[in-house]
Amino acid sequence: MTTINRKYIRQILILFASSVLLTGVLTGFKWISEQDDDKVQIVMFGDSITKGGDWIALLGRGDVKTSGFPGFTTSHLVWLLKENVIDLKPRVCFLEGGINDIGVGIPLDRTKSNYRTLIDGLLEHQIIPVVQSILYQRDNPESKIQVDSMNSYLKAYCQSKGVYYLDINAKLSSSTGLKAQYTIDGTHINQDAYEIWAAEIKNLLDSRLKY
């Protein structure tokens, strides 16, 4: 095999690998899921904080799909909403995200706009949105100010739309932010925190959504 041919083959392989990765990003990596999407009634949709929970076990039910994407902002979630939520036709979608927006300096107005798009898109397709508070970080006053601003906006917008808002910070945080006993690195949460979070979700499902 000549050097030219080997170089040509390497270029083809690189282009193929890149196209596969791009397809995965654009489709939310749905192709790696082994779950039967026909049975999905609840979608947990968000960033790495959502991804970190074993929601089937935490909620004790088999009709839950976790669509969590580490490092993704709410802009990414808008792009992935159709493939990873709407096309599955679930009854309920639990939304979580926004701390990555704050971390990379995305203006709050854009994050607010993205949330409106997510919420309105779910309502348009008769999917019940449940917006969950953006979690505080541990001992990060500047981030907390922005999280408070976003959560105040989200709570008000949910009220205006008749949408459920679940305040997870009330259970996991203090006046200075995420409690030390619930975080593994100052941002991401541990199993104890997930169990408290799941209890709040199960209470909402049982008492208000009756599902």
Side-chain angles (χ1 to χ4, degrees):
M1 183 180 295
T2 67
T3 301
I4 295 177
N5 286 340
R6 286 197 297 269
K7 183 178 180 181
Y8 178 74
I9 291 172
R10 283 199 302 271
Q11 290 174 338
I12 293 295
L13 291 174
I14 290 170
L15 287 172
F16 175 75
S18 299
S19 66
V20 170
L21 179 59
L22 179 60
T23 300
V25 170
L26 293 177
T27 62
F29 300 99
K30 188 177 178 180
W31 48 271
I32 68 174
S33 174
E34 296 179 356
Q35 187 172 2
D36 184 356
D37 290 344
D38 291 338
K39 297 179 180 179
V40 171
Q41 292 299 311
I42 298 172
V43 175
M44 306 297 297
F45 188 51
D47 54 30
S48 59
I49 297 175
T50 289
K51 178 69 172 178
D54 182 357
W55 293 105
I56 290 177
L58 286 165
L59 299 180
R61 50 195 303 161
D63 59 353
V64 182
K65 182 179 179 66
T66 300
S67 291
F69 305 95
F72 279 21
T73 67
T74 55
S75 294
H76 295 108
L77 298 183
V78 169
W79 300 339
L80 299 174
L81 182 67
K82 183 178 185 299
E83 183 77 14
N84 290 274
V85 183
I86 292 172
D87 287 353
L88 302 179
K89 300 179 180 178
R91 185 169 184 265
V92 185
C93 176
F94 287 85
L95 289 170
E96 174 275 322
I99 196 63
N100 291 326
D101 299 50
I102 291 170
V104 299
I106 292 174
L108 294 188
D109 283 346
R110 188 186 308 172
T111 305
K112 292 174 183 179
S113 175
N114 288 337
Y115 259 105
R116 291 195 299 270
T117 299
L118 291 167
I119 294 167
D120 294 350
L122 292 171
L123 290 173
E124 181 182 348
H125 289 86
Q126 292 76 53
I127 298 169
I128 299 171
V130 178
V131 177
Q132 300 164 114
S133 58
I134 300 172
L135 286 179
Y136 293 131
Q137 295 176 299
R138 173 71 179 162
D139 292 331
N140 189 335
E142 293 182 3
S143 171
K144 186 175 183 297
I145 291 171
Q146 296 185 72
V147 170
D148 281 334
S149 177
M150 273 301 310
N151 283 340
S152 294
Y153 175 81
L154 291 175
K155 185 175 182 180
Y157 190 73
C158 287
Q159 288 176 342
S160 73
K161 290 285 186 173
V163 168
Y164 294 105
Y165 176 81
L166 199 57
D167 184 5
I168 307 302
N169 279 319
K171 298 293 182 179
L172 302 181
S173 300
S174 67
S175 59
T176 60
L178 191 60
K179 293 180 180 179
Q181 66 264 37
Y182 294 137
T183 181
I184 59 176
D185 59 7
T187 299
H188 298 90
I189 58 177
N190 59 24
Q191 185 62 25
D192 289 342
Y194 278 114
E195 290 176 1
I196 293 171
W197 184 358
E200 294 299 300
I201 290 175
K202 287 191 284 188
N203 181 60
L204 179 64
L205 289 171
D206 293 342
S207 65
R208 302 182 69 179
L209 295 178
K210 306 294 183 183
Y211 183 67

